[in-house]
Amino acid sequence: ERNYELKKEVLKSLETLGSDRAVPALQRLASRRVVFGKKHRELRYLAQRALDAIEGRARSDRRGSTE
């Protein structure tokens, strides 16, 4: 249980930080096909949410540099 809570907080922090260096690990976690249990599904969801946030920031940064 404690390990699960720690993983959740790490994923939320990665989303907040938005570092491109986290993308490979987030992609591996988010793309897992076989996921058993509610907790694992939630971790996969949080990883995908962090990826979306990082990619969204990267897109807006690229748009800002071309204007």
Side-chain angles (χ1 to χ4, degrees):
E1 184 68 29
R2 184 171 169 215
N3 194 25
Y4 165 73
E5 293 298 326
L6 178 62
K7 287 177 183 178
K8 276 179 47 175
E9 292 306 315
V10 167
L11 289 169
K12 290 175 184 179
S13 296
L14 289 173
E15 178 182 356
T16 302
L17 292 171
S19 173
D20 290 339
R21 294 172 62 183
V23 169
L26 291 170
Q27 286 174 330
R28 279 193 304 276
L29 182 57
S31 67
R32 286 190 178 159
R33 293 283 179 219
V34 180
V35 179
F36 297 104
K38 181 180 176 185
K39 291 179 182 179
H40 294 290
R41 280 193 298 272
E42 184 177 11
L43 293 176
R44 193 172 93 183
Y45 165 78
L46 290 171
Q48 186 60 55
R49 192 172 83 176
L51 270 174
D52 293 344
I54 291 169
E55 290 168 355
R57 251 183 238 128
R59 279 193 298 275
S60 66
D61 288 348
R62 282 193 299 268
R63 267 189 262 129
S65 65
T66 59
E67 293 178 6

